[in-house]
Amino acid sequence: MGVDIVINYPLWIVAKRVGAGLSAFPPIRRLYAGGGALWVSIAPTTIIEDGVSTVLKPRYGDLAASATSGAIAGLCVTSQVERCITAAHARNLSVRETAVTIYRRGGVAGLALPPGMLATACREVPFAAALFAVRPRLRKIAEERYPGAQRLLRELSCGVAAASVAGPASHAPSVVAAYQQATEATPSRAVADIYAAGGLRAFFRGLPARTMSLAGTFTVVPLALDWFEPLPAAITPEAGPGTVAKGAGPSSQKKSGARSIRKAVAKATGMHGTFSGKTTPKADSVPRRLFPEDDGPPLRVPPEVAAPAPPVEEIDDW
């Protein structure tokens, strides 16, 4: 996730500043202002979106579950963090100073209920739908059609394609949210001011920068989710840290395979213990007596006597 911030944050903040009506590029020293706060918010945002999507997916399907998860994450995490970041850039303050100022003026409610919550939720709906519904389908198609392609190139292609869908679909509410976060305007006033600044085209200002930023995010986040998936079942939950279940390690797997081969050969040949190196009790060289209490010499049964008797044929004309 840190790589995502390092690569994509400059483009993201450029799009955010343009949407808020500020100059596109901040001073170099403030290019990453707010990057740490956004990095901290990525984990809870992704957890909420992925968790809600996983719970709702079996009943409502991928698209509806992903859209709902995006709206919930936008209301609970994203809008609060982005309001502090955007206001910090608008007032040329640090994110911490901005958060303290908002708290002194409005208390906890000022931080928890920022302007732009509705617009942020509307923006997160297509964003999460593209991340958790559209992109996995693109990934499946790419894996089926181009199985030999390098994975990183395939993931990047899927990320760019998904961002091309999510960027235009979610950009208008993103601009409205950024304007509200910077100016604390109401939704109706924000829409009126943006439209007055350039008509309908003003609602898509900063779209190229934000789409390129989303392409990077749509590439890094799925890879990170794959990386942190649960470990294989070979590591049992009951085992302590660093304890691997029996048969999980490479050497154990080799030994298990060798044992299976030895058992199969022994069963086929009847030579148990020949391949394992273990000694087996030898059979008596002299057959046991028929009657243990008899003191005479051991009874040797001829093979023809020990063999089963042939079936008796019936004679019809007896």
Side-chain angles (χ1 to χ4, degrees):
M1 296 300 184
V3 176
D4 180 30
I5 295 296
V6 171
I7 297 175
N8 300 313
Y9 186 79
L11 291 172
W12 182 86
I13 198 62
V14 165
K16 177 69 74 172
R17 289 175 62 93
V18 172
L22 306 174
S23 60
F25 297 98
I28 297 298
R29 61 183 179 83
R30 291 186 57 80
L31 182 61
Y32 282 93
L38 187 64
W39 176 73
V40 171
S41 72
I42 288 177
T45 301
T46 306
I47 290 172
I48 292 174
E49 291 179 344
D50 192 29
V52 174
S53 178
T54 302
V55 172
L56 298 181
K57 189 183 299 183
R59 177 173 295 184
Y60 301 104
D62 292 349
L63 196 61
S66 300
T68 305
S69 68
I72 294 175
L75 294 173
C76 296
V77 179
T78 310
S79 58
Q80 290 81 4
V81 176
E82 291 189 11
R83 188 269 179 99
C84 293
I85 295 174
T86 309
H89 277 264
R91 301 170 186 177
N92 200 24
L93 299 173
S94 67
V95 175
R96 180 180 178 279
E97 292 172 342
T98 303
V100 171
T101 302
I102 295 172
Y103 176 77
R104 289 175 177 174
R105 189 175 64 232
V108 176
L111 292 171
L113 302 173
M117 290 185 68
L118 179 60
T120 302
C122 293
R123 182 200 67 190
E124 289 296 309
V125 167
F127 171 84
L131 178 59
F132 294 105
V134 175
R135 195 195 180 285
R137 296 181 183 180
L138 294 175
R139 181 182 189 178
K140 183 178 180 181
I141 294 173
E143 289 176 349
E144 292 175 353
R145 294 187 178 182
Y146 310 102
Q150 189 177 5
R151 185 187 179 189
L152 182 59
L153 181 60
R154 190 169 60 227
E155 296 291 343
L156 180 60
S157 302
C158 294
V160 171
S164 301
V165 175
S170 62
H171 196 71
S174 177
V175 171
V176 175
Y179 189 86
Q180 288 187 261
Q181 292 161 358
T183 63
E184 300 185 0
T186 61
S188 58
R189 179 188 167 189
V191 171
D193 291 349
I194 294 171
Y195 184 81
L200 292 177
R201 294 182 59 182
F203 290 93
F204 294 92
R205 57 194 184 191
L207 176 61
R210 182 167 176 269
T211 302
M212 288 189 289
S213 175
L214 290 180
T217 300
F218 282 16
T219 302
V220 174
V221 171
L223 289 175
L225 292 177
D226 291 345
W227 180 268
F228 289 105
E229 279 184 350
L231 296 176
I235 301 179
T236 59
E238 293 82 5
T243 304
V244 182
K246 182 178 179 181
S251 60
S252 299
Q253 292 174 357
K254 292 180 181 178
K255 293 178 181 178
S256 177
R259 284 194 296 266
S260 300
I261 294 174
R262 289 199 299 266
K263 289 180 180 179
V265 174
K267 184 176 181 180
T269 59
M271 296 184 291
H272 296 279
T274 303
F275 301 94
S276 63
K278 298 179 180 179
T279 58
T280 55
K282 295 183 179 180
D284 294 340
S285 58
V286 180
R288 297 180 181 274
R289 296 184 178 91
L290 185 61
F291 302 99
E293 65 274 11
D294 188 3
D295 295 331
L299 179 64
R300 298 180 181 274
V301 182
E304 59 270 18
V305 177
V312 179
E313 299 181 0
E314 296 181 359
I315 302 176
D316 297 334
D317 56 346
W318 173 254

